[in-house]
Amino acid sequence: DVQLQASGGGSVQAGGFLRLSCAVSGFTFDDYAIGWFRQAPGKEREGVACISSDDGNTYYTNPVKGRFTISSDYAKTTAYLQMNSLKPEDTAVYYCAARYKSTCGNDMAYWGKGTQVTVSS
C-alpha cells in the first residue's frame, strides 16, 4: 500500500530551525511530485512547498519563501523540508503529499500522517 509519513517535528523557539522528513513507500518515487502542507488549529490547510520529480523544480508559497527549502533523496525515497528562521506563525501540523505525474499541483493524490511543529515566541 502507498504510505507517506512525515517526521522530524518538534518544539523550537522563534528563530530556530527544524528539518522534516517524508518517507515514501508503495509507489515509484520518481513519478510523483512531493509537496509539503500545513494546517494550524482553526485554519485551512495550506501549501508550503513542492518539488517536481521530472526536473527538480521547486515551488514555495509566500509565507515561507527564503526560509524553507524542499529537497528529495531519490535513493532513500525521502523528501525533506528544511525550515530556518522559524516564526510562531509557522506553528502547525505539517503533512507531506504526492501528486502524479511528476509536476507540482494542488491536487495531491496521496497524503501522509502529519508531524507537529510548534514555534514559541
Side-chain angles (χ1 to χ4, degrees), residues 11-16 86-91 118-121:
S11 298
V12 298
Q13 293 184 334
L86 284 163
K87 304 175 180 180
E89 51 263 44
D90 294 321
T91 296
T118 302
V119 184
S120 61
S121 301

Side-chain angles (χ1 to χ4, degrees), residues 42-57:
K43 299 181 67 177
E44 299 287 336
R45 182 159 58 192
E46 63 178 353
V48 175
C50 186
I51 183 167
S52 298
S53 62
D54 59 346
D55 55 12
N57 285 346

